[in-house]
Amino acid sequence: MDHVSPAKVVRTMIEAGAAKAAAPVRDLLIRGFLSGALLGISTSLAITTALQTSLPVAGALVFPVGFVMIVLLGLELVTGNFALLPVALADRRCGAGQVIRNLTTVFLANLAGSLFYGALLAVSLTMMGSQAPDAMASKIVAIAQAKTHYLHLGLPGFVAMFVRAVLCNWMVCLGVVMAMTSTSTVGKIVAAWLPVLTFFAHGYEHAVVNMFVIPAGMLLGAPVSMADWWMGNQIPVTLGNLVGGSLFTGLFLYWTYRPREGEAQGKGEARAASRREREERGDDAVKGHGELDPPRPRSTTAA
């Protein structure tokens, strides 16, 4: 069986978070750039599929392609790290400075990769600006406008956007964690696919997806300003993603499945009792902390 128990999954989360916290900045930048681009590609794939089939759910079915690539390649996605880094910090496997360094670096790298792919897609869809936007480009423009209208609704709009961001990354980070529940490639793909499909089908707000779709829409002619993008979506959505990923996925699982202090103490006492029992039986491999008894001195009595 390739299933991994929840307790072992949490240990894997801790190890992964600690490794990400200690990773060199160069690696974070490269892996984060690739993640931003790959998620942008899967977003444009989902939009294309929905347009071709006239079924929005069909887009949700194919969107996890990019996410699975990111997970299997061990790349850096800031929204996924929102779950893993706080767990490693809570377990004292890394420091707060390392967490901030990772999240800041990966956020900027994801942004760069998303913008890069968005610019390439805009060139492709408009024949380098020589043609009017097609149906695909028009859909991206409409999405960019829809994602930046929340603040026009006042406080209710802001709260709705924040909640959608929380719900989104609850699912996205579950995708990261669910991939750890299997040791086979197929198992990892299926397990990661399910929660990510769920978030996209609901139309929740994902910070890295928005790093692609909003600026791409702006390049294609959406009447969206930089303030609309950042204040009206990117910053609030990123904060909501942080809450959803770190609390509802990372820390909740850590709090319920981490080794209990009493359990660890009980195991230590059991090992000590077993050791004493072996010593009483005269097990030489246990005496002297694992060393053999020293040889008895030879008799010095004259022959």
Side-chain angles (χ1 to χ4, degrees):
M1 297 292 290
D2 67 357
H3 178 258
V4 179
S5 69
K8 291 181 179 179
V9 167
V10 168
R11 289 198 291 271
T12 302
M13 292 170 63
I14 294 169
E15 294 295 332
K20 288 176 178 292
V25 171
R26 172 182 174 275
D27 290 339
L28 296 179
L29 289 172
I30 294 173
R31 296 171 190 176
F33 179 89
L34 291 173
S35 291
L38 288 174
L39 211 61
I41 290 171
S42 65
T43 302
S44 62
L45 170 66
I47 295 171
T48 300
T49 303
L51 287 173
Q52 291 174 345
T53 62
S54 299
L55 294 171
V57 71
L61 285 170
V62 300
F63 171 77
V65 166
F67 180 82
V68 166
M69 293 178 186
I70 291 168
V71 169
L72 294 182
L73 290 173
L75 301 179
E76 295 286 337
L77 190 66
V78 69
T79 46
N81 290 3
F82 283 162
L84 301 180
L85 273 293
V87 167
L89 179 63
D91 206 60
R92 300 180 181 178
R93 295 294 304 277
C94 65
Q98 289 178 298
V99 173
I100 294 171
R101 182 193 70 130
N102 176 282
L103 297 182
T104 302
T105 304
V106 174
F107 180 92
L108 294 175
N110 288 167
L111 177 61
S114 300
L115 292 174
F116 180 74
Y117 175 68
L120 293 182
L121 184 65
V123 169
S124 172
L125 293 177
T126 63
M127 292 295 176
M128 203 172 173
S130 63
Q131 294 184 6
D134 60 6
M136 171 71 167
S138 298
K139 183 62 176 178
I140 293 175
V141 168
I143 293 172
Q145 289 180 270
K147 285 183 173 293
T148 54
H149 84 290
Y150 290 104
L151 291 188
H152 298 297
L153 303 175
L155 181 61
F158 178 85
V159 172
M161 172 175 51
F162 186 82
V163 169
R164 290 180 183 182
V166 170
L167 294 172
C168 168
N169 216 36
W170 189 352
M171 292 294 101
V172 171
C173 288
L174 271 183
V176 174
V177 173
M178 290 288 286
M180 299 176 181
T181 64
S182 174
T183 58
S184 72
T185 301
V186 173
K188 288 178 178 291
I189 291 172
V190 174
W193 205 283
L194 301 177
V196 176
L197 181 161
T198 301
F199 115 71
F200 200 86
H202 278 87
Y204 294 150
E205 293 289 339
H206 189 267
V208 182
V209 169
N210 293 353
M211 289 177 185
F212 155 71
V213 75
I214 295 177
M218 294 166 66
L219 289 173
L220 292 167
V224 174
S225 66
M226 291 293 289
D228 291 334
W229 171 19
W230 284 94
M231 302 305 297
N233 184 284
Q234 195 67 59
I235 293 174
V237 166
T238 300
L239 295 175
N241 285 172
L242 175 60
V243 172
S246 63
L247 181 60
F248 291 102
T249 299
L251 291 175
F252 274 11
L253 288 174
Y254 173 76
W255 288 332
T256 190
Y257 284 117
R258 76 185 189 279
R260 300 298 195 275
E261 193 171 312
E263 292 176 0
Q265 183 179 357
K267 291 178 180 178
E269 291 174 351
R271 285 195 295 269
S274 177
R275 186 183 190 88
R276 286 194 299 270
E277 183 180 341
R278 293 197 304 272
E279 287 177 347
E280 291 171 0
R281 291 199 308 264
D283 189 344
D284 286 342
V286 177
K287 296 177 181 178
H289 302 286
E291 297 178 359
L292 294 176
D293 282 344
R296 294 184 178 86
R298 298 178 61 182
S299 175
T300 58
T301 304

